[in-house]
């Protein structure tokens, strides 16, 4: 075995469910390429056997495998980086293999281009499991509700523009409709499944209430903002914590996906749509909260009006969502709760913008 005393070995790993593809670089030269069974203990044993005489640095992309591998490597005394997949440069090559991916990670690690994502504590990661489960069940419940409406529409039992909210009362009222035996059987099964998911979501809400009691300091700051209730506060607290892991607002916006994409060349600078990195659920919550905030915060309403007049309502509300999460971060830093500048009466310009928005929605439904 070669002696690496006084040298640093940079190891890139392409992590999959069954295998780890490993590439090691030392002093800019590839010294080892291998494929191992996806077992942290086996990986650590392999690294120490091959490069134990030197300093080992490893990296892999954040993804489905979570952070248990990172914690195992750190416990074994190996410095590891969990890199954001979007932060790793891609080539124009049409060929993509595990070996090439691990080599690319190893090269970026050697060149110092990789940055570690925030690693949550095991307790915080456990909290996330519950809020993410709720999001999954809510999407499944909505999907089943849409299938019920689709079946009823096919048989002419509801109009195409039916806006009735799918609720427990509405689900139970379906039993009064006259239906053919096959449709009735299908609707009853759909309704039973919808109610089961609804009951499970209520159980999850009770568990989130227990979390909030343990995490009241963070929850209080989030809930002080207009439009952020107990459930959304739990999601933001579990995904973003107290926002102090972000050194500046730019890092925070980048993590959530509120940073505009850019395509510039020479003297021309062109900024496009937001990058949409991170979880879509976070952007959804913040945008929804922004719509509420501009109704009650005079300062945010004025900013919204100015941007909407120039760039449209969609870009304006994303800009407000950015400012909102930035202000929440400032609240955590200063230890003060969010205070909105109260709006006594919406301006005529703001009322017109809201009316035009409602008119656009009606036009889309009519079309």
């Amino acid at each position: 075995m070669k002696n690496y005393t006084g040298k640093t070995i940079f190891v890139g790993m392409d992590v999959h469910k069954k295998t780890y593809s490993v590439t090691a670089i030392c002093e800019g030269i590839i010294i080892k390429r291998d494929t191992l069974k996806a077992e942290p203990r086996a990986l650590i044993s392999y690294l120490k056997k091959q490069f134990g005489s030197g300093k080992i640095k490893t990296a892999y992309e954040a993804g489905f495998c979570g952070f248990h591998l990172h914690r195992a490597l750190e416990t074994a005394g190996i410095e590891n980086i969990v890199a954001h997949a979007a932060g790793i440069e891609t080539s124009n090559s049409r060929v993509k293999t595990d070996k090439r991916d691990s080599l690319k990670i190893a090269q970026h690690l050697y060149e110092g281009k990789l940055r570690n994502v925030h690693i949550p504590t095991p307790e915080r990661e456990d909290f996330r499991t519950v809020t993410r489960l709720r999001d999954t069940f809510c999407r499944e419940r909505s999907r089943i509700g849409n299938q019920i409406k689709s079946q009823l529409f096919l048989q002419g039992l509801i109009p195409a523009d039916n806006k009735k909210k799918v609720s427990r009362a509405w689900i139970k009222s379906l039993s009064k409709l006259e239906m053919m035996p096959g449709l009735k059987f299908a609707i009853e099964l759909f309704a039973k499944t919808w109610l089961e998911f609804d009951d499970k979501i209520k159980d999850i809400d009770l568990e989130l209430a227990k979390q909030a009691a343990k995490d009241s300091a963070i929850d209080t700051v989030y809930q002080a903002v207009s439009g952020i209730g107990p459930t959304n506060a739990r999601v933001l607290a579990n995904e973003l914590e107290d926002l102090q892991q972000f050194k500046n607002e730019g890092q925070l916006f980048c993590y959530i996906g509120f940073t505009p994409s850019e395509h510039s060349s020479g003297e021309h600078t062109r900024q496009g749509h937001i990058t949409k990195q991170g979880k879509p659920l976070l952007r959804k919550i913040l945008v929804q909260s922004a719509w509420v905030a501009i109704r009650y915060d005079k300062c945010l309403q004025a900013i919204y009006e100015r941007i909407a007049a120039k760039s449209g309502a969609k870009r304006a509300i994303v800009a407000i969502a950015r400012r909102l999460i930035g202000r929440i971060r400032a609240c955590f830093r200063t230890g003060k709760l969010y205070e909105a500048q109260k709006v006594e009466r919406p301006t005529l310009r703001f009322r017109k913008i809201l009316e035009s928005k409602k008119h656009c929605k009606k036009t889309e439904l009519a079309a």
Side-chain angles (χ1 to χ4, degrees):
M1 185 178 70
K2 189 174 179 179
N3 187 3
Y4 293 101
T5 304
K7 297 180 181 179
T8 302
I9 297 88
F10 300 89
V11 182
M13 300 177 293
D14 192 34
V15 178
H16 291 279
K17 184 178 180 180
K18 295 183 179 180
T19 61
Y20 296 154
S21 183
V22 177
T23 300
I25 292 178
C26 182
E27 297 178 335
I29 301 172
I30 299 173
I31 56 174
K32 195 73 176 177
R33 303 186 84 165
D34 222 331
T35 300
L36 310 175
K37 184 179 178 181
E39 173 57 49
R41 289 183 183 178
L43 173 65
I44 292 168
S45 177
Y46 170 85
L47 293 175
K48 294 204 168 182
K49 181 180 178 181
Q50 296 291 332
F51 319 112
S53 57
K55 182 179 180 181
I56 306 171
K57 291 187 177 182
T58 59
Y60 67 90
E61 289 182 2
F64 77 98
C65 61
F67 302 107
H68 71 277
L69 175 58
H70 169 80
R71 295 189 181 107
L73 290 166
E74 292 283 328
T75 302
I78 298 172
E79 186 180 332
N80 181 68
I81 287 179
V82 183
H84 196 298
I88 298 175
E89 297 175 7
T90 57
S91 64
N92 294 325
S93 174
R94 294 177 179 268
V95 181
K96 183 186 182 301
T97 65
D98 295 347
K99 288 185 177 180
R100 286 194 174 204
D101 289 344
S102 64
L103 173 60
K104 180 172 57 179
I105 295 171
Q107 288 173 334
H108 284 14
L109 180 63
Y110 171 71
E111 294 166 3
K113 293 181 178 180
L114 298 184
R115 286 191 295 182
N116 210 4
V117 300
H118 175 64
I119 310 298
T121 63
E123 182 185 26
R124 182 65 63 186
E125 191 173 12
D126 186 56
F127 279 3
R128 286 181 181 180
T129 304
V130 183
T131 46
R132 291 181 180 184
L133 178 67
R134 188 185 191 280
D135 180 49
T136 301
F137 280 9
C138 283
R139 283 188 278 109
E140 285 298 309
R141 185 180 62 178
S142 297
R143 183 178 63 83
I144 292 165
N146 291 335
Q147 287 178 326
I148 292 173
K149 284 191 170 185
S150 176
Q151 292 294 328
L152 294 174
F153 170 70
L154 286 173
Q155 302 300 323
L157 296 174
I158 60 171
D161 60 346
N162 181 275
K163 295 181 182 178
K164 192 73 175 178
K165 183 180 178 181
V166 180
S167 62
R168 296 184 78 90
W170 185 79
I171 290 288
K172 291 178 180 178
S173 70
L174 298 179
S175 59
K176 299 177 183 178
L177 296 176
E178 294 184 5
M179 293 179 274
M180 298 290 286
L183 177 62
K184 185 175 182 180
F185 176 76
I187 294 298
E188 285 177 352
L189 283 183
F190 274 133
K192 182 181 178 181
T193 306
W194 190 96
L195 292 170
E196 286 175 355
F197 273 111
D198 195 54
D199 289 335
K200 290 174 182 176
I201 291 168
K202 288 181 179 178
D203 291 338
I204 292 172
D205 287 339
L206 293 176
E207 183 63 26
L208 292 180
K210 295 177 183 178
Q211 283 188 14
K214 297 178 183 178
D215 219 8
S216 59
I218 294 179
D219 265 48
T220 301
V221 177
Y222 280 114
Q223 290 193 53
V225 181
S226 300
I228 299 180
T231 301
N232 286 344
R234 275 287 79 218
V235 175
L236 294 172
N238 289 341
E239 297 294 338
L240 300 174
E241 301 181 34
D242 62 359
L243 303 176
Q244 298 312 296
Q245 67 270 28
F246 303 103
K247 295 181 181 179
N248 50 58
E249 287 188 349
Q251 286 187 7
L252 173 59
F253 298 154
C254 184
Y255 179 82
I256 298 174
F258 276 155
T259 304
S261 58
E262 184 172 332
H263 302 275
S264 301
S265 179
E267 298 176 355
H268 301 282
T269 300
R270 296 192 183 108
Q271 289 188 330
H273 298 291
I274 55 175
T275 58
K276 296 186 179 180
Q277 285 185 200
K279 287 186 69 63
L281 179 61
L282 296 178
R283 291 191 297 276
K284 177 184 175 183
I285 290 172
L286 291 171
V287 169
Q288 287 176 343
S289 301
W291 280 118
V292 178
I294 59 175
R295 293 176 180 270
Y296 298 99
D297 192 311
K298 185 177 181 181
C299 179
L300 291 180
Q301 188 180 110
I303 296 170
Y304 173 82
E305 289 179 1
R306 175 172 55 80
I307 299 175
K310 181 180 178 181
S311 305
K314 289 184 179 180
R315 291 192 177 185
I317 204 62
V318 170
I320 296 300
R322 275 168 51 103
R323 287 178 182 266
L324 199 61
I325 192 62
R327 290 187 177 191
I328 294 171
R329 178 176 174 273
C331 289
F332 279 115
R333 289 175 66 84
T334 59
K336 297 180 180 179
L337 294 180
Y338 184 91
E339 292 184 8
Q341 297 182 17
K342 292 184 179 180
V343 178
E344 296 178 2
R345 184 182 177 186
T347 64
L348 177 62
R349 187 178 181 183
F350 182 66
R351 291 201 302 271
K352 285 182 178 179
I353 291 173
L354 291 180
E355 286 173 7
S356 65
K357 185 189 171 199
K358 291 178 182 177
H359 175 70
C360 289
K361 284 188 175 180
K362 289 180 180 178
T363 305
E364 288 174 4
L365 289 171

